Amino acid sequence: MSALLEVRAISKSFRGLRAVSDASFEIPAGDINGLIGPNGAGKTTIFNMIAGVYAPDSGSILFNGSEIQGLRPDRICAAGIGRTFQIVKPFAGLTVLDNVMVGAFLRSRTAQDARQLAASIVERLGLGPKRDLPASSLTLPDRKRLEVARALATRPKLLLLDEVMAGLRPTECDQMVEVFREINRADGTTILLIEHVMRAVMALARHIGVLHHGEVIARGTPEQVVRDPAVLECYLGEEAEV
Amino acid sequence: MNRRSILLAVLAAFLVALPLFAGNYALSVATLILYFAYTGQAWNVMMGFAGQLSLGHALYVGVGAYAAGALFYHLGIGPWAGVWLAIALCVAFGLVIGFLAFRFSISGVYFALLTIAFAEFTRIGFDHLNFIGGPGGMFLRVAQRDAWDLANFRGPPLMYYYAILALTMAAFALCSWLLKSKAGYYWQAIRENEEAAQALGIASLRWKLLAMAISSAMTAVSGVFFAFYYNNLFPEQIFNISRSIEIILGPVIGGVGTLFGPVLGAAVLTLLSEGITESLAALGWEIPGVKQVFYGVVLLAVVMFMPNGIWPALAKRLRL
Amino acid sequence: MPAADLVANVVVSGILTGLVYGLMALGLSVIFGVVRVVNFAHGEMMITAMYAATVLFAALNLDPFLAMLPVAAAFFVFGYVLQAAVINRFITRPEHSQFMLLVAIAIILVNAMLMVFGPDARNVQVDYQLDSYQVGPLLVDKARLLAAGAALVAAAALFAFFRYSLTGKAIRACADNYLGAKVVGLNVKHLYALTFGLGAACVAIAGCAMVVLVDVTPPLGPAYTLLAFVIVIVGGLGSMAGALLGGVLIGVSEALAGLFIDPSAKSMFSFGLLILVLLLRPQGLLGRRA
């Protein structure tokens, strides 16, 4: 089975600072993949390159067999990649339903269709009772759900989740994990998530990639990765030789 | 029918029936109000919908007016054909300005300054174009004033009133439709958070340009009306920055981005200012500048105490 | 083709006038750059100062260069109060709201001038109006020289204030980092008001200088506002030297355009320049990239 997303040796520097260095990985369709690493490791930069916010300095990104590196963010969304933002960006002046409708219009022909699609997604994400409230009045967990709902409305084949669990309490986190499991199971949506909250990563991801100083230092199943000495070193520091 | 629709129907009926009981002066004031309501609504598409503050909208009024006016003046071509040239030219201007601005990421106050610069540049340019009269102005021949000559848009004040009323109603309907359509949602999304909008598949540049095109096209028609109603055009006047500011006063006072805002704002402003001018004239004071000071004070008061305009506050009160 | 010394004279005249423009723009640069207020009433404030100078001259026979002190003081107070009482409330509001506020003030100012003084041109005719110095082939107007001199002195004083005084440094801190300045305990609202006052004082001095060189009419208000923005953007936002440099550049180009092309087309040149700068180098000649 060929991979849905293939990242081949991408690199990115910002004014001389190498943020991502020769990173490569593959994500098969239908998989849930995690991307972890200490702060500043380059995770969001990789996301932003996949999502089209910047183009990699070198290397290529293939989605469904076609090259997508350097395309504009809206073209990437049209190709089937949805994303959320680390710092949520709701359309504050619009209602919850309208927010999701904006996403729904990508694949819907009429406002009617868009509204129906949006309404069903709003229900799925548990925001039904709040659909007519302004987005600005939502709590943080709900805003995160809204962000996911909006991205889902574009009917993505691949969903990029950027630290969605940050700021959520354990129960809220578990609820989100269930939502993602369901999306993956029911729609077959492939998911790539950046996470610091290990509880979520271990529960969701079938494969994990570990990033450190812009390089992929380990890849494997969660069980393999937590035992990998390179990973332990980068998170916990070297063991001092006595 | 909800309360808003009822209000709309009553207002429409009132405006259609107005000439039956209004004298010539009242009719001319009403025509002026509707002119500002229509032009304000056109500006509102760019600001309220696409979030781009244009302070040089007089550019489109002027280009539209001169385009149709010149065709009539030199070739005798009536406004129904002339309006297409007006729209074409204005849309071209709008797209150029929009493309330059958006491509180079110019927004906010810099965008406003860019629009001012283009309007001023054009004003001075037109002053030097002799084939359309230069600074001395262009004067369209005024034919008979009694019969309705729709082909050449000549006739009694009543004809102009109904024409601008029809335009205003059409603009209202168009904007109302746009707001609820995909375009409306996309524009709002772009205004709220352009980055998030792009991540949802919205090609923001294209949609912003569309708003510019629609806005400039609508304003072009306003210019054509202006040309055939007033019959004399001077670059110094029609492209002047005061005209641009006049255009935005209605929507800003009434409520930017709303449908009723421009109409309400134009009505409030024009009625009060005519009232003041009349009272002052009755007292024997004919001081130039009084009306504008008044505009400034009203604008100041609205900006300070009703920042979203009169309409949102009013609508809440009346539960519309 | 005009003779070389005519061109030289025109250029010198342009430089001197340009320095006065530069001072006016300096006021805007300080206001725009620090307080982030788009002072759309800048040119209107300028002509108000010019009218004030004509009134003082007509009533008290006060030389405009001496009138600079009281007028600048009055404008400082006006600017301070305006910022403290009115504009400070708009810091958190959307950009176009604050913009409209200044537009309203501009409309009120310019039309108040129209109401009080009428549409006819007014100016100041000092005794030395027609004196000039001969420097080689150049003929330099005494009045123009004094005006430019006053502008330079004021600019230097402002520059020294921001560079060396404690308050000046505090203001620069606010400009760099609003939140940080508050956290450190600076009374930002007071400092903002102070800055606006200083900017207004600059305009006042520039106005008193300018009224000796040109006639003042109400439409000059909006024209100066636009000119100030052109200069600030061309010279570079946040750069005081840029404002002066921009002023000189515009002064010279306007003078030359008036000589070689149609005088009425000279502002067309300024606007064309503004468009180019906005598109190609928005940080201006000496400004920092935002």
PDB file of all heavy atoms in Angstrom, chain C residues 101-117:
ATOM      1  N   LEU C 101     -11.847  58.645  13.769  1.00  0.00           N
ATOM      2  CA  LEU C 101     -11.801  59.679  14.799  1.00  0.00           C
ATOM      3  C   LEU C 101     -10.974  60.857  14.327  1.00  0.00           C
ATOM      4  O   LEU C 101     -11.393  62.022  14.403  1.00  0.00           O
ATOM      5  CB  LEU C 101     -11.202  59.102  16.084  1.00  0.00           C
ATOM      6  CG  LEU C 101     -10.953  60.099  17.217  1.00  0.00           C
ATOM      7  CD1 LEU C 101     -12.264  60.594  17.764  1.00  0.00           C
ATOM      8  CD2 LEU C 101     -10.139  59.442  18.323  1.00  0.00           C
ATOM      9  N   LEU C 102      -9.792  60.558  13.820  1.00  0.00           N
ATOM     10  CA  LEU C 102      -8.926  61.640  13.348  1.00  0.00           C
ATOM     11  C   LEU C 102      -9.476  62.306  12.099  1.00  0.00           C
ATOM     12  O   LEU C 102      -9.316  63.507  11.910  1.00  0.00           O
ATOM     13  CB  LEU C 102      -7.512  61.109  13.085  1.00  0.00           C
ATOM     14  CG  LEU C 102      -6.508  61.171  14.235  1.00  0.00           C
ATOM     15  CD1 LEU C 102      -6.618  62.470  14.998  1.00  0.00           C
ATOM     16  CD2 LEU C 102      -6.622  60.015  15.164  1.00  0.00           C
ATOM     17  N   VAL C 103     -10.171  61.542  11.269  1.00  0.00           N
ATOM     18  CA  VAL C 103     -10.804  62.147  10.090  1.00  0.00           C
ATOM     19  C   VAL C 103     -11.831  63.167  10.554  1.00  0.00           C
ATOM     20  O   VAL C 103     -11.912  64.273  10.013  1.00  0.00           O
ATOM     21  CB  VAL C 103     -11.486  61.070   9.207  1.00  0.00           C
ATOM     22  CG1 VAL C 103     -12.374  61.710   8.162  1.00  0.00           C
ATOM     23  CG2 VAL C 103     -10.446  60.204   8.530  1.00  0.00           C
ATOM     24  N   ALA C 104     -12.601  62.785  11.587  1.00  0.00           N
ATOM     25  CA  ALA C 104     -13.615  63.704  12.116  1.00  0.00           C
ATOM     26  C   ALA C 104     -12.962  64.984  12.626  1.00  0.00           C
ATOM     27  O   ALA C 104     -13.416  66.090  12.332  1.00  0.00           O
ATOM     28  CB  ALA C 104     -14.401  63.025  13.237  1.00  0.00           C
ATOM     29  N   ILE C 105     -11.880  64.821  13.379  1.00  0.00           N
ATOM     30  CA  ILE C 105     -11.185  65.995  13.911  1.00  0.00           C
ATOM     31  C   ILE C 105     -10.643  66.854  12.772  1.00  0.00           C
ATOM     32  O   ILE C 105     -10.715  68.092  12.806  1.00  0.00           O
ATOM     33  CB  ILE C 105     -10.053  65.565  14.860  1.00  0.00           C
ATOM     34  CG1 ILE C 105     -10.671  64.908  16.088  1.00  0.00           C
ATOM     35  CG2 ILE C 105      -9.190  66.745  15.266  1.00  0.00           C
ATOM     36  CD1 ILE C 105      -9.670  64.323  17.042  1.00  0.00           C
ATOM     37  N   ALA C 106     -10.150  66.206  11.740  1.00  0.00           N
ATOM     38  CA  ALA C 106      -9.630  66.939  10.581  1.00  0.00           C
ATOM     39  C   ALA C 106     -10.731  67.764   9.924  1.00  0.00           C
ATOM     40  O   ALA C 106     -10.535  68.940   9.610  1.00  0.00           O
ATOM     41  CB  ALA C 106      -9.033  65.961   9.571  1.00  0.00           C
ATOM     42  N   ILE C 107     -11.888  67.136   9.731  1.00  0.00           N
ATOM     43  CA  ILE C 107     -13.012  67.827   9.103  1.00  0.00           C
ATOM     44  C   ILE C 107     -13.406  69.045   9.934  1.00  0.00           C
ATOM     45  O   ILE C 107     -13.623  70.140   9.412  1.00  0.00           O
ATOM     46  CB  ILE C 107     -14.230  66.889   8.955  1.00  0.00           C
ATOM     47  CG1 ILE C 107     -13.916  65.729   8.021  1.00  0.00           C
ATOM     48  CG2 ILE C 107     -15.428  67.659   8.427  1.00  0.00           C
ATOM     49  CD1 ILE C 107     -15.020  64.714   7.940  1.00  0.00           C
ATOM     50  N   ILE C 108     -13.477  68.827  11.260  1.00  0.00           N
ATOM     51  CA  ILE C 108     -13.878  69.927  12.129  1.00  0.00           C
ATOM     52  C   ILE C 108     -12.867  71.057  12.071  1.00  0.00           C
ATOM     53  O   ILE C 108     -13.224  72.228  11.910  1.00  0.00           O
ATOM     54  CB  ILE C 108     -14.049  69.437  13.582  1.00  0.00           C
ATOM     55  CG1 ILE C 108     -15.204  68.441  13.660  1.00  0.00           C
ATOM     56  CG2 ILE C 108     -14.312  70.611  14.511  1.00  0.00           C
ATOM     57  CD1 ILE C 108     -15.375  67.818  15.021  1.00  0.00           C
ATOM     58  N   LEU C 109     -11.593  70.715  12.163  1.00  0.00           N
ATOM     59  CA  LEU C 109     -10.555  71.744  12.159  1.00  0.00           C
ATOM     60  C   LEU C 109     -10.558  72.570  10.876  1.00  0.00           C
ATOM     61  O   LEU C 109     -10.600  73.805  10.914  1.00  0.00           O
ATOM     62  CB  LEU C 109      -9.178  71.102  12.316  1.00  0.00           C
ATOM     63  CG  LEU C 109      -8.663  70.917  13.740  1.00  0.00           C
ATOM     64  CD1 LEU C 109      -7.281  70.278  13.692  1.00  0.00           C
ATOM     65  CD2 LEU C 109      -8.606  72.240  14.479  1.00  0.00           C
ATOM     66  N   VAL C 110     -10.522  71.875   9.730  1.00  0.00           N
ATOM     67  CA  VAL C 110     -10.367  72.616   8.484  1.00  0.00           C
ATOM     68  C   VAL C 110     -11.587  73.484   8.202  1.00  0.00           C
ATOM     69  O   VAL C 110     -11.462  74.617   7.736  1.00  0.00           O
ATOM     70  CB  VAL C 110     -10.047  71.674   7.292  1.00  0.00           C
ATOM     71  CG1 VAL C 110     -11.247  70.831   6.933  1.00  0.00           C
ATOM     72  CG2 VAL C 110      -9.591  72.465   6.093  1.00  0.00           C
ATOM     73  N   ASN C 111     -12.775  72.971   8.535  1.00  0.00           N
ATOM     74  CA  ASN C 111     -13.958  73.775   8.264  1.00  0.00           C
ATOM     75  C   ASN C 111     -14.158  74.873   9.292  1.00  0.00           C
ATOM     76  O   ASN C 111     -14.742  75.909   8.981  1.00  0.00           O
ATOM     77  CB  ASN C 111     -15.188  72.871   8.145  1.00  0.00           C
ATOM     78  CG  ASN C 111     -15.185  72.117   6.834  1.00  0.00           C
ATOM     79  OD1 ASN C 111     -15.376  72.701   5.772  1.00  0.00           O
ATOM     80  ND2 ASN C 111     -14.903  70.841   6.893  1.00  0.00           N
ATOM     81  N   ALA C 112     -13.652  74.656  10.492  1.00  0.00           N
ATOM     82  CA  ALA C 112     -13.672  75.740  11.472  1.00  0.00           C
ATOM     83  C   ALA C 112     -12.813  76.893  10.969  1.00  0.00           C
ATOM     84  O   ALA C 112     -13.186  78.064  11.067  1.00  0.00           O
ATOM     85  CB  ALA C 112     -13.178  75.243  12.818  1.00  0.00           C
ATOM     86  N   MET C 113     -11.657  76.529  10.391  1.00  0.00           N
ATOM     87  CA  MET C 113     -10.786  77.558   9.809  1.00  0.00           C
ATOM     88  C   MET C 113     -11.522  78.292   8.693  1.00  0.00           C
ATOM     89  O   MET C 113     -11.457  79.513   8.561  1.00  0.00           O
ATOM     90  CB  MET C 113      -9.499  76.937   9.244  1.00  0.00           C
ATOM     91  CG  MET C 113      -8.572  76.339  10.282  1.00  0.00           C
ATOM     92  SD  MET C 113      -7.953  77.535  11.475  1.00  0.00           S
ATOM     93  CE  MET C 113      -8.724  76.934  12.959  1.00  0.00           C
ATOM     94  N   LEU C 114     -12.249  77.505   7.880  1.00  0.00           N
ATOM     95  CA  LEU C 114     -12.995  78.106   6.776  1.00  0.00           C
ATOM     96  C   LEU C 114     -14.044  79.070   7.315  1.00  0.00           C
ATOM     97  O   LEU C 114     -14.237  80.177   6.791  1.00  0.00           O
ATOM     98  CB  LEU C 114     -13.655  77.004   5.950  1.00  0.00           C
ATOM     99  CG  LEU C 114     -14.465  77.435   4.718  1.00  0.00           C
ATOM    100  CD1 LEU C 114     -13.596  78.159   3.729  1.00  0.00           C
ATOM    101  CD2 LEU C 114     -15.118  76.228   4.047  1.00  0.00           C
ATOM    102  N   MET C 115     -14.715  78.642   8.359  1.00  0.00           N
ATOM    103  CA  MET C 115     -15.762  79.484   8.936  1.00  0.00           C
ATOM    104  C   MET C 115     -15.188  80.781   9.488  1.00  0.00           C
ATOM    105  O   MET C 115     -15.730  81.852   9.288  1.00  0.00           O
ATOM    106  CB  MET C 115     -16.465  78.742  10.083  1.00  0.00           C
ATOM    107  CG  MET C 115     -17.564  77.801   9.629  1.00  0.00           C
ATOM    108  SD  MET C 115     -18.181  76.815  10.986  1.00  0.00           S
ATOM    109  CE  MET C 115     -18.872  78.067  12.054  1.00  0.00           C
ATOM    110  N   VAL C 116     -14.079  80.666  10.199  1.00  0.00           N
ATOM    111  CA  VAL C 116     -13.522  81.836  10.876  1.00  0.00           C
ATOM    112  C   VAL C 116     -12.794  82.764   9.901  1.00  0.00           C
ATOM    113  O   VAL C 116     -12.944  83.980   9.964  1.00  0.00           O
ATOM    114  CB  VAL C 116     -12.566  81.393  11.994  1.00  0.00           C
ATOM    115  CG1 VAL C 116     -11.820  82.579  12.561  1.00  0.00           C
ATOM    116  CG2 VAL C 116     -13.338  80.661  13.087  1.00  0.00           C
ATOM    117  N   PHE C 117     -12.000  82.174   9.008  1.00  0.00           N
ATOM    118  CA  PHE C 117     -11.141  82.998   8.177  1.00  0.00           C
ATOM    119  C   PHE C 117     -11.599  83.143   6.741  1.00  0.00           C
ATOM    120  O   PHE C 117     -11.046  83.938   5.980  1.00  0.00           O
ATOM    121  CB  PHE C 117      -9.715  82.425   8.179  1.00  0.00           C
ATOM    122  CG  PHE C 117      -9.067  82.469   9.520  1.00  0.00           C
ATOM    123  CD1 PHE C 117      -9.001  81.333  10.312  1.00  0.00           C
ATOM    124  CD2 PHE C 117      -8.521  83.643   9.994  1.00  0.00           C
ATOM    125  CE1 PHE C 117      -8.398  81.367  11.559  1.00  0.00           C
ATOM    126  CE2 PHE C 117      -7.910  83.685  11.239  1.00  0.00           C
ATOM    127  CZ  PHE C 117      -7.853  82.543  12.022  1.00  0.00           C
TER     128      PHE C 117
END
